[in-house]
Amino acid sequence: MTIMKTLGQFIIEKQADFPYAKGELSRLLRDIGIAAKVVNREVNKAGLADILGESGHVNIQGEGQKKLDVYADEQFMRALSSGGECCVFASEEQDEAVYLNSTVSKDAKYIVCIDPLDGSSNIDVNVSVGTIFSIYRRKSTEGEATLSDILQKGIHQVAAGYIIYGSSTMLVYTTGKGVNGFTLDPSIGEFCLSHPNIIIPEKGNIYSINEGNYVKFPQGIKDYIKYCQIEDVATRRPYVSRYIGSMVADIHRNLLKGGIFLYPTTSSHPQGKLRLLYECNPIAFIVEQAGGKATTGYERILDILPRELHQRCSAIMGSREMVEKVEDFLRP
Ligand code: AHM
Ligand code: MG
């Protein structure tokens, strides 16, 4: 008989890796897992319930919010504020960070940056979407947490993860000691360890990029795309092009199969389109922990000191050899 390990059991077991841990991070991860199940329930019946479509609001980046974006944001914020381990909740869907000042949260140690529902243009058409989260320890030791507690380099993340609402729902996370993946078993309502110690292949043959932006890319990226398309048996080229438009889904596939995901700078998004704090940093942490590489093309994503909450960033992440090849193409 195979013994299933649930996310809850795994988190408690792993707490022993941190001898001085008091269980706060474990409880925080548990709270995220609970909210993920609630969001999963709603995403799964999205075609039935009156939850598809626009909410009628626009977020700070000027993007229309879907009803499910707003719903997911509320669920994660609710779970984290009542859990009591999170003092600041910074979300793609909210203009400002929310400082959780209730009696249970005000002395909490952790800051959560989150994209509650990534890939939301795919919600209405039944294509995989995801949640991305990043956890930092608060730096300041007294008074209320401040923006500078949030604006930390990605290397200081204590944990990061994503949930993919796909053909099955999975939660993948790292606390800096490798990457583990859990699949939701709907019959028991538990995430169960299904992908222990995920390692991304050193090289792959999948490239994921929105090629519709081709004319707007830097020359080095255009040259790399052509390189991917040239026939060469030794390097398994031409590579396979796969782009879902939900970063979580594209990254998840490439993590398991080997490949590269690129959202570079473009002439219309000179800083890149994806957000540093709750999209690029957490995914970069996971990719590095799985043995891959994550850069802007010019520098390691995790080394960037953020200046603002919704800062954008270019992202080139995945199998190490493939990312290094892109860096070669971008070198002047
Ligand atoms: P979102 O957070 O508004 O959903 O945007 C992020 C998404 C990523 O998941 C995806 O990789 C990218 O935006 C797709 O953008 P584009 O349609 O420009 O290719
Ligand atoms: Mg997003």
Side-chain angles (χ1 to χ4, degrees):
M1 191 180 83
T2 34
I3 302 198
M4 270 297 173
K5 187 168 289 174
T6 67
L7 176 65
Q9 290 167 333
F10 185 87
I11 288 172
I12 288 168
E13 254 179 53
K14 290 294 160 191
Q15 204 176 302
D17 289 347
F18 302 91
Y20 301 107
K22 296 198 194 106
E24 290 131 315
L25 181 61
S26 302
R27 287 194 289 276
L28 187 66
L29 289 166
R30 178 208 59 194
D31 295 340
I32 290 174
I34 292 169
K37 287 191 236 176
V38 178
V39 171
N40 174 64
R41 189 186 61 200
E42 225 52 29
V43 168
N44 269 316
K45 62 180 185 193
L48 297 170
D50 179 26
I51 192 125
L52 290 180
E54 307 297 322
S55 70
H57 296 105
V58 171
N59 69 16
I60 192 156
Q61 4 255 326
E63 300 155 347
Q65 288 175 312
K66 304 272 182 190
K67 288 182 195 165
L68 266 176
D69 281 326
V70 176
Y71 179 83
D73 187 53
E74 282 167 7
Q75 293 309 318
F76 282 102
M77 193 166 97
R78 182 176 301 172
L80 291 170
S81 51
S82 60
E85 308 300 348
C86 171
C87 58
V88 183
F89 178 84
S91 159
E92 174 175 346
E93 301 307 333
Q94 307 204 33
D95 301 2
E96 308 286 343
V98 182
Y99 297 88
L100 304 169
N101 293 324
S102 70
T103 34
V104 282
S105 306
K106 72 174 176 9
D107 296 323
K109 271 199 214 142
Y110 292 104
I111 288 158
V112 176
C113 301
I114 193 163
D115 180 352
L117 211 57
D118 183 63
S120 42
S121 65
N122 281 326
I123 293 172
D124 291 351
V125 290
N126 211 351
V127 173
S128 301
V129 289
T131 295
I132 312 172
F133 62 90
S134 165
I135 303 176
Y136 291 87
R137 194 170 283 112
R138 179 185 162 169
K139 284 188 306 186
S140 58
T141 48
E142 50 192 38
E144 279 183 17
T146 63
L147 188 61
S148 68
D149 285 312
I150 310 170
L151 300 181
Q152 299 188 44
K153 290 184 181 178
I155 41 168
H156 298 308
Q157 289 172 104
V158 290
Y162 62 78
I163 297 120
I164 174 167
Y165 310 98
S167 47
S168 62
T169 295
M170 280 189 70
L171 187 152
V172 174
Y173 83 100
T174 182
T175 52
K177 291 183 185 289
V179 180
N180 291 284
F182 300 79
T183 303
L184 183 65
D185 179 342
S187 64
I188 55 168
E190 293 281 4
F191 283 105
C192 299
L193 182 62
S194 53
H195 295 64
N197 196 21
I198 296 173
I199 304 285
I200 184 169
E202 275 282 297
K203 51 187 168 201
N205 71 336
I206 298 174
Y207 72 106
S208 312
I209 186 167
N210 183 344
E211 261 180 271
N213 290 328
Y214 186 84
V215 294
K216 301 181 185 176
F217 290 143
Q219 190 57 43
I221 297 293
K222 289 180 179 168
D223 295 342
Y224 178 71
I225 292 174
K226 286 296 157 215
Y227 167 87
C228 294
Q229 296 168 344
I230 289 168
E231 214 165 0
D232 177 54
V233 178
T235 50
R236 292 166 70 205
R237 285 181 289 148
Y239 293 156
V240 178
S241 166
R242 292 282 182 273
Y243 188 73
I244 296 172
S246 287
M247 178 171 57
V248 168
D250 281 312
I251 288 286
H252 183 69
R253 180 202 53 240
N254 293 359
L255 263 187
L256 300 184
K257 294 191 159 188
I260 185 166
F261 172 89
L262 307 97
Y263 210 114
T265 58
T266 62
S267 49
S268 50
H269 285 96
Q271 309 302 321
K273 177 195 156 184
L274 300 175
R275 273 52 56 110
L276 175 61
L277 265 81
Y278 40 79
E279 292 178 326
C280 298
N281 268 341
I283 297 293
F285 190 23
I286 290 170
V287 167
E288 285 199 3
Q289 281 295 314
K293 194 164 181 187
T295 92
T296 62
Y298 308 96
E299 65 177 315
R300 185 185 180 204
I301 290 174
L302 297 183
D303 283 337
I304 300 172
L305 180 65
R307 296 177 314 278
E308 54 188 20
L309 200 55
H310 298 288
Q311 184 167 327
R312 297 190 188 251
C313 171
S314 77
I316 296 162
M317 322 197 263
S319 292
R320 172 170 295 280
E321 283 192 17
M322 298 178 88
V323 174
E324 284 170 356
K325 193 76 191 172
V326 179
E327 288 175 318
D328 288 346
F329 275 98
L330 286 170
R331 246 183 283 276

